[in-house]
């Protein structure tokens, strides 16, 4: 187990380095530079700027400087947000992105899991069919459409929630719902499927015959096995929530990581794009590793493979 | 869960203040007045920094700000400003004339990397005697008092003057304007509060202002419509019909209740900017002036302006018609027959014409315009146009490298003078990007620059503009409109050609029940 963990960690580090190199190459190969504006800069001014950001010299030298920065976890000063270090920008944006992703995950679990179990318990009847319809609908709608509908209802018609901007928990409700609902639909489908199988299994039939029922049956027999596919799904889902937040952050004007990524690329803010890419890659790796570890704890079959 | 709440709290700011909320577009690139260029930056910096003068929001005439008065020689070559006594920075330190002189030296230094460096390029003398600042230029600068209102010429405190382009910002940003920085949250908002040390602090009426970073136009519009923002710099073109309808409904409702017509929140007004196409004069076939002229003669600018909508007016000149004391030149009237004959002559000489590449960026307006032009030139002149949609920075790089045939462009004037448009196309100017280099044009601009007499100068500039229109390195399309959405609760707001806002003069009426 320990050896497997070590291998995973090494692979994680190598992935981060590879992604950093690829991002560096892609950014430089893209046409247009950070100092191209409608109002042209005079050559002396341009030269001062290139020197200030270390953009002189060959790509290889620049890559070397960028790599050295990465190892020190210092991505240098941002080109777009002048006077601010990329590290500080990321540190300021990360908590919000994590809070949004975490809330969305909570929405997904708190809505998806009970709905899935309830549907499994009443297979083929109205609650089951209703769930299937709702989950298909939610999965078919992209997050920004859900966001738009949410804004229309809660901000314009009811006036309960702000349509955009950051400012505390109230401002995160609509974004977290828009982001979390499609995942909740997936969680509901997975848990319904798994719970249905468990309910039909011989062990549950036997437990029922022994008179175990209701909450105890759910807790002892159904939940542990029905939640396995959900946990396996959580790693990629959490990763999807973090990367999927780009659009939602834009719609709700939230100062999270996502917009740094998109705007950074459009502005050719090389240090910021590299920093955001590395943070995303590292997060995704860490999340999928954490989900695997959790699964190994819950499922003896996975553990034995290690 | 507790962790989540703590994290959410980290992105939390105090409740909105009883002040003005501005949906300011993208986050300001830099809060250093010497290094900023964009409109979102200008809005914030004009609240935080005062210049020697400020612009009257109605007439755009310069009014005294840090300078109490000024004088100029008739040509506008020598200017003498008298600074106010007892000026202070927003943290209470005294602001001296030396600060201003040092700031201007910094602006001129190439190491500062200031985009407006050329404004002081031909400075011959900058001398401070007591409170009198004497400025002498090599060539007349008739609009210099107006230019002094722009943030690039504002004085900066010593700690800001020592910073290189990539250096970290000082921990506290200090200015001399009507407001001072209270809080900055990157990509979220910039909050400013009244500056008690501003010389005219009594004029400031708002308790606070929030400049929100809102990149999506639809998000900004949502904030405006729910009353969460009072001032919108721009909105998506798609929403225009709905906004026009909304204005009509507001007027009807007021009339039904016997009230006077409400002040419009959406009212497109003239703006000092021209939309045009750049033509690449450095490679065939558009290096041939006859073909460029044919394109110019075949344009139906009225139809294009109608297509663009939003109150835009056709541009028969490069310089917008609202410059004081200047009558713009005028391009030749449409003449399809001559245009066809010219195209045919060029095609015969060259043994046919290859398809022309028209560069444009994404966005409804630009795409529609490109398609309309493509269709029009195919039908009227038999020319084939290929549209290439590029991301903005890629398009700029292609323009700079002269790798295009036609390219969408626009230019916003810096001050109310024709030269702010005409200097763009001087040979070798970094903004030219057409490969057009014309001795006659350059000489006319040189002579206008040296002219001491205002009427003579205007005549020379007009001749230069006529030369530009006849040689057609650019095809003018329409004059832009200002599209601010301003809540009727905002008092004291004036729409003007340059989008200048006198923040100190604004107030916010209480919310109507």
């Amino acid at each position: 187990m320990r050896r497997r963990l070590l291998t995973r960690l090494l692979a994680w580090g190598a992935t981060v380095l590879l992604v950093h190199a690829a991002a560096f190459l892609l950014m430089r190969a893209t046409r247009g530079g950070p100092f191209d504006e409608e109002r042209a800069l005079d050559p002396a001014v341009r030269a001062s700027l290139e020197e200030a950001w270390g953009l002189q010299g060959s790509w290889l030298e620049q890559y070397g400087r960028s790599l050295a920065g990465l190892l020190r976890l210092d991505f240098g000063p941002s080109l777009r947000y002048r006077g601010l270090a990329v590290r500080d920008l990321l540190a300021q944006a990360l908590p919000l992105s994590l809070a949004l992703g975490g809330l969305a995950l909570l929405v997904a679990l708190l809505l998806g899991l009970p709905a899935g179990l309830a549907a499994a318990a009443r297979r083929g009847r109205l609650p089951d069919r209703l769930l299937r319809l709702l989950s298909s609908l939610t999965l078919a709608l992209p997050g920004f459409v859900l966001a738009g509908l949410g804004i229309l209802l809660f901000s314009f018609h009811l006036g309960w929630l702000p349509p955009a901007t950051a400012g505390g928990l109230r401002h995160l409700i609509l974004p977290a719902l828009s982001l979390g609902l499609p995942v909740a639909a997936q969680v509901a489908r997975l848990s319904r499927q798994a719970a249905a199988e468990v309910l039909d299994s011989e062990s549950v039939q036997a437990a029922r015959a022994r008179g175990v029922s209701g909450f105890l049956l759910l807790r002892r027999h159904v939940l542990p096995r029905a939640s396995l596919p959900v946990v396996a799904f959580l790693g990629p889902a959490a990763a999807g929530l973090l990367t999927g937040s780009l659009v939602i952050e834009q719609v709700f004007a939230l100062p999270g990581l996502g917009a740094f990524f998109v705007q950074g690329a459009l502005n050719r803010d090389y240090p910021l794009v590299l920093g955001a890419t590395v943070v995303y890659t590292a997060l995704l790796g860490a999340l999928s590793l954490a989900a695997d570890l959790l699964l190994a704890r819950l499922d003896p079959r996975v553990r034995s493979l290690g | 869960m507790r962790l989540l709440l703590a994290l959410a709290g980290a992105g939390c700011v105090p409740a909105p203040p009883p002040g003005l909320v501005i949906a300011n577009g993208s986050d300001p690139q830099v809060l250093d007045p010497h290094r900023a260029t964009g409109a979102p930056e200008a809005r914030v910096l004009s609240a935080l920094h005062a210049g020697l003068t400020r612009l009257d929001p109605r007439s755009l005439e310069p009014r005294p700000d840090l300078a109490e008065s000024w004088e100029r020689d008739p040509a506008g070559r020598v200017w003498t400003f008298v600074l106010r006594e007892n000026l202070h920075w927003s943290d209470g330190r005294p602001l001296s004339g030396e600060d201003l002189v040092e700031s201007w030296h910094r602006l001129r230094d190439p190491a500062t990397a200031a985009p407006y460096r050329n404004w002081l390029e031909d400075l011959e003398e900058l001398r401070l005697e007591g409170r009198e600042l004497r400025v002498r230029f090599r060539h007349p600068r008739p609009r210099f008092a107006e230019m002094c209102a722009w943030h690039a010429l504002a004085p900066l405190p010593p700690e800001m003057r020592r910073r290189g382009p990539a250096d970290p910002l000082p921990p506290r940003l200090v200015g001399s304007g009507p407001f001072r920085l209270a809080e900055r949250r990157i990509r979220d908002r910039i909050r400013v509060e009244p500056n008690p040390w501003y010389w005219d602090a009594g004029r400031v009426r708002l308790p606070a202002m929030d400049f929100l970073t809102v990149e999506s136009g639809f998000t900004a519009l949502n904030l405006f419509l729910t009353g969460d923002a009072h001032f919108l710099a721009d909105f998506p073109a798609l929403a225009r019909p709905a906004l026009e309808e909304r204005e009509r409904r507001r007027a009807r409702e007021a009339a039904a209740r016997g009230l006077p017509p409400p002040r419009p929140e959406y009212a497109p007004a003239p703006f000092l900017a021209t939309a045009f196409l750049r033509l690449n004069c450095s490679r065939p076939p558009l290096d041939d002036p006859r073909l460029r002229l044919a394109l110019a003669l075949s344009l139906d600018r009225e139809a294009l302006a109608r297509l663009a909508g939003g109150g835009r007016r056709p541009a028969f000149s490069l310089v917008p018609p609202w410059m004081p004391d200047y009558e713009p030149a005028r391009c030749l009237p449409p003449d399809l027959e001559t245009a066809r004959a010219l195209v045919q002559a060029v095609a015969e000489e060259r043994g046919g014409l290859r398809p022309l590449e028209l560069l444009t960026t994404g966005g409804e307006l630009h795409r529609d315009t490109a398609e309309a032009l493509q269709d029009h030139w195919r039908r009227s002149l038999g020319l084939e146009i290929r549209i290439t949609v590029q991301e903005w920075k890629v398009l700029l790089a292609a323009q700079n490298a002269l790798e295009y045939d036609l390219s969408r462009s626009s230019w916003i004037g810096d001050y109310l003078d024709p030269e702010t448009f005409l200097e763009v196309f001087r040979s070798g100017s970094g903004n030219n990007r057409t490969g057009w280099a014309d001795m006659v044009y350059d000489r006319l601009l040189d002579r206008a620059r040296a002219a001491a007499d205002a009427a003579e100068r205007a005549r020379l500039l007009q001749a230069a503009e006529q030369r530009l229109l006849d040689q057609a390195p650019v095809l003018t399309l329409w004059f832009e409109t200002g599209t601010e959405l301003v809540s009727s609760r905002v008092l004291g707001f004036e729409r003007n050609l340059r989008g200048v806002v006198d923040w100190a003069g604004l107030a916010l009426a209480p919310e109507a029940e």
Side-chain angles (χ1 to χ4, degrees):
Chain A
M1 185 70 200
R2 191 170 295 167
R3 214 174 119 190
R4 187 154 171 253
L5 189 66
L6 196 68
T7 329
R8 285 290 301 266
L9 281 175
L10 281 177
W12 181 56
T15 312
V16 169
L17 286 180
L18 271 176
V19 169
H20 170 260
F24 180 90
L25 269 179
L26 279 174
M27 278 308 290
R28 292 310 154 95
T30 310
R31 215 170 171 200
F35 307 121
D36 288 334
E37 298 290 345
E38 176 73 67
R39 182 184 302 276
L41 296 173
D42 81 41
V45 166
R46 205 185 173 88
S48 309
L49 286 171
E50 284 178 353
E51 198 192 318
W53 268 275
L55 295 179
Q56 68 301 35
S58 69
W59 279 15
L60 201 64
E61 287 169 56
Q62 293 183 40
Y63 174 69
R65 280 197 289 270
S66 178
L67 190 64
L70 171 66
L71 298 179
R72 290 194 312 270
L73 289 182
D74 176 9
F75 303 100
S78 163
L79 276 155
R80 168 64 179 76
Y81 303 91
R82 303 270 167 96
L84 296 160
V86 168
R87 191 163 50 181
D88 298 339
L89 288 172
L90 295 177
Q92 199 167 342
L94 195 59
L96 190 100
S97 278
L98 289 182
L100 178 58
L103 279 177
L105 204 59
L106 213 61
V107 166
L109 287 178
L110 291 184
L111 289 181
L113 213 50
L117 294 179
R122 289 172 179 71
R123 257 159 303 157
R125 279 186 280 166
L126 186 68
D128 189 24
R129 269 180 275 164
L130 201 64
L131 176 82
R132 237 185 278 176
L133 180 73
L134 275 179
S135 66
S136 303
L137 207 63
T138 322
L139 280 172
L141 290 177
F144 61 87
V145 175
L146 284 177
L149 293 174
I151 292 171
L152 209 57
L153 180 63
F154 291 105
S155 304
F156 279 93
H157 287 296
L158 300 171
W160 291 349
L161 295 169
T165 70
L169 201 58
R170 216 165 72 86
H171 292 244
L172 285 183
I173 297 175
L174 273 183
L177 281 175
S178 319
L179 201 55
L181 276 178
V183 186
Q186 271 166 300
V187 168
R189 287 186 158 198
L190 282 171
S191 54
R192 180 206 169 272
Q193 183 70 25
E197 275 171 30
V198 178
L199 286 173
D200 287 340
S201 70
E202 285 173 7
S203 65
V204 170
Q205 307 275 354
R208 274 205 174 127
R210 287 199 308 275
V212 182
S213 68
F215 183 69
L216 202 63
L217 184 78
L218 185 75
R219 218 194 65 171
R220 279 246 181 97
H221 297 271
V222 183
L223 205 52
R225 279 155 66 192
S227 63
L228 284 181
V230 175
V231 172
F233 165 74
L234 276 187
L241 283 178
L242 271 176
T243 45
S245 67
L246 304 189
V247 179
I248 295 299
E249 282 175 15
Q250 190 87 359
V251 170
F252 290 98
L254 293 174
L257 268 185
F260 275 151
F261 205 55
V262 180
Q263 292 300 324
L266 290 178
N267 293 316
R268 308 291 189 276
D269 190 344
Y270 304 138
L272 184 58
V273 170
L274 285 179
T277 310
V278 164
V279 168
Y280 261 126
T281 314
L283 266 178
L284 296 192
L287 283 173
S288 82
L289 187 59
D292 286 355
L293 290 176
L294 189 63
L295 197 63
R297 261 196 104 77
L298 290 178
D299 190 344
R301 286 170 303 177
V302 176
R303 199 166 19 198
S304 66
L305 286 177
Chain B
M1 187 68 197
R2 200 170 295 163
L3 175 73
L4 275 180
L5 286 174
L7 284 173
C12 163
V13 289
L20 187 70
V21 180
I22 300 120
N24 197 34
S26 56
D27 205 51
Q29 179 166 39
V30 56
L31 289 184
D32 179 337
H34 283 171
R35 296 193 174 112
T37 51
E41 287 82 355
R43 278 187 287 270
V44 176
L45 291 170
S46 61
L48 297 177
H49 294 272
L52 289 175
T53 61
R54 67 178 179 88
L55 295 181
D56 182 286
R58 190 183 291 240
S59 65
L60 293 181
E61 285 295 318
R63 300 267 180 262
D65 204 350
L66 298 183
E68 58 185 29
S69 65
W70 59 89
E71 280 171 5
R72 52 175 273 190
D73 69 341
R77 247 190 84 206
V78 184
W79 293 79
T80 310
F81 293 89
V82 181
L83 291 170
R84 277 176 208 286
E85 278 180 287
N86 278 326
L87 289 173
H88 290 90
W89 297 110
S90 56
D91 59 358
R93 279 177 293 165
L95 187 167
S96 71
E98 275 310 316
D99 285 316
L100 190 84
V101 171
E102 287 303 315
S103 299
W104 285 10
H105 282 316
R106 178 196 189 235
L107 182 70
R108 295 179 67 204
D109 183 357
T112 306
Y116 288 94
R117 182 178 161 246
N118 60 340
W119 280 19
L120 296 178
E121 214 169 26
D122 62 343
L123 194 69
E124 281 187 339
E125 187 192 354
L126 180 62
R127 205 178 60 222
L128 188 72
E129 275 168 22
R131 288 194 290 129
E132 269 190 22
L133 183 73
R134 199 179 125 91
V135 190
R136 196 179 77 233
F137 293 100
R138 197 174 321 132
H139 304 296
R141 285 274 167 149
R143 295 277 162 200
F144 189 63
E146 189 189 324
M147 292 158 83
C148 281
W150 189 242
H151 55 72
L153 292 183
L156 292 183
E159 68 276 12
M160 282 288 276
R161 303 201 292 261
R162 282 192 289 272
R163 289 181 54 243
D167 290 346
L169 284 171
R172 261 177 70 188
L173 288 180
V174 167
S176 58
F179 290 85
R180 64 181 181 185
L181 191 71
E183 190 184 16
R184 179 183 190 191
R185 286 177 171 271
I186 300 298
R187 289 194 40 76
D188 179 20
R189 73 191 63 208
I190 288 172
R191 177 166 295 176
V192 301
E193 59 187 17
N195 169 12
W197 296 98
Y198 180 52
W199 72 271
D200 200 6
R203 208 165 69 85
V204 178
R205 294 193 282 169
L206 288 166
M209 295 197 287
D210 272 13
F211 293 88
L212 299 185
T213 298
V214 186
E215 257 139 20
S216 153
F218 288 103
T219 306
L221 191 60
N222 284 343
L223 286 168
F224 183 81
L225 293 176
T226 53
D228 290 293
H230 312 110
F231 185 108
L232 224 69
D234 203 4
F235 60 84
L238 214 62
R240 204 167 55 221
L243 285 168
E244 283 163 356
E245 175 53 35
R246 183 171 172 269
E247 285 306 326
R248 283 193 290 271
R249 197 180 59 232
R250 289 179 63 226
R252 273 200 309 270
E253 282 170 6
R257 286 198 279 161
L259 296 169
R263 216 191 44 195
E265 299 190 325
Y266 167 58
F271 186 66
L272 199 62
T274 311
F276 56 91
L277 292 180
R278 279 187 166 86
L279 271 50
N280 186 349
C281 309
S282 73
R283 73 179 190 192
L286 288 174
D287 59 342
D288 192 326
R290 287 174 300 167
L291 190 59
R292 301 201 300 265
L293 189 63
L295 292 180
L297 285 174
S298 70
L299 271 190
D300 182 353
R301 293 178 169 87
E302 306 265 3
L304 283 169
R306 267 198 309 277
L307 173 82
R312 291 182 175 86
R313 286 171 42 181
F316 299 106
S317 57
L318 178 72
V319 179
W322 309 292
M323 297 287 184
D325 312 318
Y326 179 76
E327 179 68 33
R330 203 176 159 92
C331 60
L332 292 165
D335 180 354
L336 266 183
E337 234 160 89
T338 312
R340 275 192 207 114
L342 285 169
V343 171
Q344 199 165 5
V346 175
E348 269 169 25
E349 235 172 75
R350 303 202 174 203
L353 283 173
R354 66 172 173 82
L356 298 175
E357 189 191 26
L358 169 57
L359 293 191
T360 188
T361 48
E364 221 181 336
L365 173 65
H366 305 302
R367 203 189 50 224
D368 289 356
T369 310
E371 283 170 5
L373 288 169
Q374 179 186 45
D375 189 51
H376 176 70
W377 280 326
R378 185 175 51 226
R379 281 191 292 139
S380 61
L381 300 180
L383 285 175
E384 197 180 325
I385 306 288
R386 284 194 190 140
I387 299 173
T388 308
V389 178
Q390 290 185 334
E391 186 259 322
W392 177 233
K393 294 257 181 189
V394 177
L395 180 132
L396 281 175
Q399 273 189 6
N400 273 321
L402 293 171
E403 288 166 6
Y404 70 96
D405 293 314
L406 304 114
S407 170
R408 83 146 261 234
S409 304
S410 62
W411 189 257
I412 304 175
D414 288 323
Y415 42 93
L416 289 182
D417 192 285
E419 74 174 7
T420 173
F421 284 89
L422 298 175
E423 283 291 336
V424 170
F425 297 102
R426 192 185 267 283
S427 343
S429 149
N431 292 319
N432 183 316
R433 303 202 279 268
T434 60
W436 185 66
D438 188 67
M439 294 276 285
V440 179
Y441 183 75
D442 293 353
R443 247 199 325 267
L444 283 166
L445 287 187
D446 285 340
R447 284 173 57 201
R449 219 185 212 195
D453 175 56
E456 170 71 358
R457 180 172 179 273
R459 197 188 59 75
L460 288 163
L461 287 173
Q462 192 197 40
E465 187 180 16
Q466 194 62 59
R467 174 80 184 168
L468 179 87
L469 296 175
D470 294 347
Q471 290 275 308
V474 294
L475 301 181
T476 56
L477 301 177
W478 59 74
F479 299 120
E480 295 289 357
T481 44
T483 49
E484 297 110 335
L485 278 184
V486 182
S487 159
S488 50
R489 288 181 58 204
V490 179
L491 308 176
F493 176 74
E494 299 278 352
R495 293 177 198 276
N496 57 54
L497 281 174
R498 292 192 43 209
V500 167
V501 186
D502 174 30
W503 301 110
L506 297 187
L508 195 62
E511 215 159 340
E513 285 308 312

